[in-house]
Amino acid sequence: MDILIVVDMQNDFVSGALGTREAVDIVPRVAERVAAGADLGETILFTRDTHEENYLETREGRALPVPHCIRGTEGWEIVPQLRQYMVGFAPVDKPTFGSTALAQMLSAINQGTPVEKITLIGLCTDICVISNALLLKAFLPEAEIAVDASCCAGVTPESHKNALAAMKACQITVENEV
């Protein structure tokens, strides 16, 4: 079984409170990759950064005092270009960078149907993509964990490249690196 994970492709990370030009630029490529994955029969899962109204009172909120991805807001929603692919599974809401719930879910799936490959795409390479890639590597050590670099963007282009290098060092496959 091959799985495609779309990490935090939410309005606040693309065009909202924490949006960047690089994030806007990857949206068409992410949509193309998700469509291709659907055609190939990959299981497609979405994660959603999810904070509550008290975000600024949390450890993350004190370190990054920019309210974003507050549950129920437009910024929390997956970008419109991808919503049609959110079929079969509810997004995995995660209160922090990496999701142990996602890793546990995929580990359970792997018990019944072996997971051959997990590909991650989305935002931000240097925070949530790398965090989830490393968690998945720990939970499913025999599955290939890959990141499609052309469908990811970091907080900055430099931090994107640094995260890709760190993932390579941890035996995560980096595809389509430019």
Side-chain angles (χ1 to χ4, degrees), residues 9 13 28 60 66 71 83 86 99 118 141 145:
M9 287 298 297
F13 291 130
E60 180 184 326
V66 179
R71 185 186 304 275
R83 291 180 192 161
M86 297 172 62
S99 174
I118 301 170
I145 309 299

Side-chain angles (χ1 to χ4, degrees), residues 40 71-72 84 96 99 110 124 129 131 142 157 160:
L40 292 170
R71 185 186 304 275
Q84 66 181 320
T96 189
S99 174
N110 188 52
C124 292
V129 173
S131 295
E142 294 304 317
H160 167 78

Side-chain angles (χ1 to χ4, degrees), residues 67-85:
H68 65 281
C69 299
I70 306 298
R71 185 186 304 275
T73 66
E74 182 60 27
W76 176 67
E77 297 293 336
I78 301 295
V79 295
Q81 299 89 327
L82 299 176
R83 291 180 192 161
Q84 66 181 320
Y85 299 104

